[in-house]
Tab-separated table of all heavy atoms in Angstrom:
chain	number	residue	atom	x	y	z
A	5	GLU	N	104.934	-39.209	65.032
A	5	GLU	CA	104.451	-37.895	64.767
A	5	GLU	C	103.090	-37.960	64.260
A	5	GLU	O	102.574	-38.940	63.724
A	5	GLU	CB	105.357	-37.211	63.673
A	5	GLU	CG	105.303	-38.074	62.463
A	5	GLU	CD	106.415	-37.533	61.475
A	5	GLU	OE1	107.427	-36.913	61.941
A	5	GLU	OE2	106.250	-37.776	60.202
A	6	ILE	N	102.359	-36.701	64.487
A	6	ILE	CA	100.923	-36.705	64.057
A	6	ILE	C	101.068	-35.724	62.940
A	6	ILE	O	101.580	-34.559	63.026
A	6	ILE	CB	100.037	-36.200	65.064
A	6	ILE	CG1	100.010	-37.176	66.376
A	6	ILE	CG2	98.618	-35.966	64.717
A	6	ILE	CD1	99.278	-36.728	67.473
A	7	LYS	N	100.469	-36.057	61.836
A	7	LYS	CA	100.537	-35.377	60.584
A	7	LYS	C	99.259	-34.807	60.054
A	7	LYS	O	98.121	-35.520	60.147
A	7	LYS	CB	101.186	-36.233	59.488
A	7	LYS	CG	102.637	-37.011	60.046
A	7	LYS	CD	103.253	-37.398	58.757
A	7	LYS	CE	102.463	-38.696	58.275
A	7	LYS	NZ	103.372	-39.432	57.319
A	8	SER	N	99.203	-33.698	59.422
A	8	SER	CA	98.096	-33.161	58.746
A	8	SER	C	98.020	-33.806	57.299
A	8	SER	O	99.096	-33.740	56.689
A	8	SER	CB	98.062	-31.638	58.569
A	8	SER	OG	98.117	-31.210	59.893
A	9	PRO	N	96.994	-34.273	56.737
A	9	PRO	CA	96.768	-34.821	55.514
A	9	PRO	C	97.388	-33.997	54.324
A	9	PRO	O	98.023	-34.685	53.442
A	9	PRO	CB	95.403	-35.130	55.318
A	9	PRO	CG	94.754	-35.034	56.638
A	9	PRO	CD	95.559	-34.123	57.438
A	10	GLU	N	97.087	-32.704	54.204
A	10	GLU	CA	97.600	-31.970	53.145
A	10	GLU	C	99.018	-31.910	53.047
A	10	GLU	O	99.638	-31.505	51.988
A	10	GLU	CB	96.935	-30.463	53.205
A	10	GLU	CG	97.501	-29.678	54.516
A	10	GLU	CD	96.516	-29.916	55.576
A	10	GLU	OE1	95.890	-30.946	55.700
A	10	GLU	OE2	96.625	-29.231	56.455
A	11	ASP	N	99.901	-32.333	54.188
A	11	ASP	CA	101.240	-32.317	54.154
A	11	ASP	C	101.963	-33.655	54.265
A	11	ASP	O	103.135	-33.841	54.481
A	11	ASP	CB	101.755	-31.422	55.259
A	11	ASP	CG	101.437	-30.037	55.033
A	11	ASP	OD1	101.760	-29.380	54.089
A	11	ASP	OD2	100.586	-29.464	55.872
A	12	LEU	N	101.106	-34.753	53.913
A	12	LEU	CA	101.662	-36.009	54.100
A	12	LEU	C	102.762	-36.265	53.082
A	12	LEU	O	103.665	-37.092	53.155
A	12	LEU	CB	100.597	-37.082	53.873
A	12	LEU	CG	99.634	-37.215	55.061
A	12	LEU	CD1	98.515	-38.237	54.699
A	12	LEU	CD2	100.416	-37.653	56.306
A	13	ARG	N	102.706	-35.468	52.005
A	13	ARG	CA	103.622	-35.803	50.813
A	13	ARG	C	105.172	-35.275	51.094
A	13	ARG	O	106.050	-35.597	50.453
A	13	ARG	CB	103.166	-35.197	49.556
A	13	ARG	CG	101.760	-35.742	49.100
A	13	ARG	CD	101.445	-35.164	47.726
A	13	ARG	NE	101.213	-33.756	47.769
A	13	ARG	CZ	100.090	-33.105	48.204
A	13	ARG	NH1	99.089	-33.922	48.462
A	13	ARG	NH2	100.028	-31.796	48.126
A	14	GLU	N	105.040	-34.361	52.171
A	14	GLU	CA	106.352	-33.684	52.435
A	14	GLU	C	107.255	-34.809	53.151
A	14	GLU	O	106.807	-35.451	54.019
A	14	GLU	CB	106.168	-32.279	53.386
A	14	GLU	CG	105.339	-31.427	52.663
A	14	GLU	CD	105.441	-30.086	53.347
A	14	GLU	OE1	106.463	-29.920	54.003
A	14	GLU	OE2	104.582	-29.320	53.181
A	31	LEU	N	106.586	-26.784	61.782
A	31	LEU	CA	105.966	-26.795	63.128
A	31	LEU	C	104.415	-26.907	62.996
A	31	LEU	O	103.804	-27.417	63.812
A	31	LEU	CB	106.193	-25.508	63.934
A	31	LEU	CG	107.674	-25.654	64.589
A	31	LEU	CD1	107.973	-24.205	65.258
A	31	LEU	CD2	107.660	-26.637	65.715
A	32	GLY	N	104.063	-26.432	61.900
A	32	GLY	CA	102.446	-26.661	61.626
A	32	GLY	C	102.137	-27.832	61.027
A	32	GLY	O	100.962	-28.284	60.877
A	33	VAL	N	103.108	-28.827	60.896
A	33	VAL	CA	102.789	-30.223	60.280
A	33	VAL	C	103.168	-31.374	61.324
A	33	VAL	O	102.401	-32.131	61.590
A	33	VAL	CB	103.574	-30.401	58.980
A	33	VAL	CG1	103.184	-31.835	58.545
A	33	VAL	CG2	103.257	-29.375	58.075
A	34	PHE	N	104.213	-31.195	62.065
A	34	PHE	CA	104.698	-32.371	62.823
A	34	PHE	C	104.856	-31.891	64.326
A	34	PHE	O	105.225	-30.909	64.590
A	34	PHE	CB	106.163	-32.845	62.444
A	34	PHE	CG	106.136	-33.256	60.992
A	34	PHE	CD1	106.889	-32.443	59.976
A	34	PHE	CD2	105.449	-34.386	60.544
A	34	PHE	CE1	106.947	-32.783	58.749
A	34	PHE	CE2	105.561	-34.832	59.253
A	34	PHE	CZ	106.357	-34.169	58.267
A	35	PHE	N	104.467	-32.764	65.122
A	35	PHE	CA	104.805	-32.732	66.513
A	35	PHE	C	105.198	-34.057	67.045
A	35	PHE	O	104.636	-35.102	66.633
A	35	PHE	CB	103.870	-31.841	67.351
A	35	PHE	CG	102.584	-32.545	67.390
A	35	PHE	CD1	102.232	-33.574	68.304
A	35	PHE	CD2	101.566	-32.010	66.540
A	35	PHE	CE1	100.867	-33.999	68.379
A	35	PHE	CE2	100.266	-32.672	66.557
A	35	PHE	CZ	99.892	-33.475	67.434
A	340	PRO	N	94.706	-32.396	66.588
A	340	PRO	CA	95.792	-32.046	65.764
A	340	PRO	C	96.310	-30.616	65.886
A	340	PRO	O	95.618	-29.772	66.277
A	340	PRO	CB	95.268	-32.269	64.191
A	340	PRO	CG	93.816	-31.995	64.403
A	340	PRO	CD	93.458	-32.352	65.832
A	341	HIS	N	97.613	-30.544	65.605
A	341	HIS	CA	98.218	-29.147	65.550
A	341	HIS	C	97.611	-28.318	64.542
A	341	HIS	O	97.440	-28.801	63.349
A	341	HIS	CB	99.574	-29.297	65.636
A	341	HIS	CG	100.419	-27.972	65.557
A	341	HIS	ND1	100.702	-27.232	64.430
A	341	HIS	CD2	100.893	-27.164	66.557
A	341	HIS	CE1	101.293	-26.182	64.642
A	341	HIS	NE2	101.380	-26.086	66.005
A	342	THR	N	97.520	-27.012	64.738
A	342	THR	CA	97.174	-25.922	63.709
A	342	THR	C	98.125	-24.890	63.852
A	342	THR	O	98.810	-24.734	64.841
A	342	THR	CB	95.649	-25.371	64.014
A	342	THR	OG1	95.633	-24.718	65.213
A	342	THR	CG2	94.686	-26.646	63.998
A	343	ASP	N	98.111	-24.124	62.796
A	343	ASP	CA	99.060	-22.935	62.699
A	343	ASP	C	98.572	-21.649	63.138
A	343	ASP	O	99.423	-20.606	63.071
A	343	ASP	CB	99.584	-22.890	61.161
A	343	ASP	CG	100.328	-24.068	60.667
A	343	ASP	OD1	101.079	-24.627	61.458
A	343	ASP	OD2	100.271	-24.434	59.484
A	620	GLN	N	89.070	-30.193	59.898
A	620	GLN	CA	90.527	-30.687	60.073
A	620	GLN	C	90.378	-32.216	60.354
A	620	GLN	O	89.454	-32.687	60.970
A	620	GLN	CB	91.063	-29.979	61.221
A	620	GLN	CG	91.117	-28.466	61.177
A	620	GLN	CD	91.250	-27.692	62.360
A	620	GLN	OE1	91.471	-28.371	63.479
A	620	GLN	NE2	91.442	-26.380	62.320
A	621	THR	N	91.342	-32.960	60.015
A	621	THR	CA	91.413	-34.248	60.167
A	621	THR	C	92.636	-34.574	61.037
A	621	THR	O	93.652	-33.815	61.215
A	621	THR	CB	91.434	-35.108	58.955
A	621	THR	OG1	92.674	-34.717	58.248
A	621	THR	CG2	90.215	-34.962	58.131
A	622	PHE	N	92.642	-35.872	61.616
A	622	PHE	CA	93.658	-36.235	62.633
A	622	PHE	C	94.109	-37.655	62.297
A	622	PHE	O	93.404	-38.668	61.995
A	622	PHE	CB	92.961	-36.176	64.050
A	622	PHE	CG	93.758	-36.521	65.162
A	622	PHE	CD1	94.672	-35.427	65.504
A	622	PHE	CD2	93.944	-37.721	65.751
A	622	PHE	CE1	95.482	-35.666	66.593
A	622	PHE	CE2	94.765	-37.829	66.796
A	622	PHE	CZ	95.570	-36.967	67.271
A	623	GLU	N	95.456	-37.794	62.133
A	623	GLU	CA	95.973	-39.181	61.872
A	623	GLU	C	97.248	-39.431	62.587
A	623	GLU	O	97.976	-38.531	62.799
A	623	GLU	CB	96.393	-39.244	60.286
A	623	GLU	CG	96.946	-40.335	59.989
A	623	GLU	CD	97.343	-40.434	58.469
A	623	GLU	OE1	96.814	-39.614	57.795
A	623	GLU	OE2	98.273	-41.140	58.086
Side-chain angles (χ1 to χ4, degrees):
E5 62 190 20
I6 298 176
K7 305 188 293 185
S8 300
E10 63 270 20
D11 295 297
L12 286 175
R13 297 183 300 272
E14 299 195 24
L31 279 176
V33 180
F34 301 111
F35 58 88
H341 176 269
T342 63
D343 291 326
Q620 302 164 355
T621 56
F622 185 81
E623 177 184 338

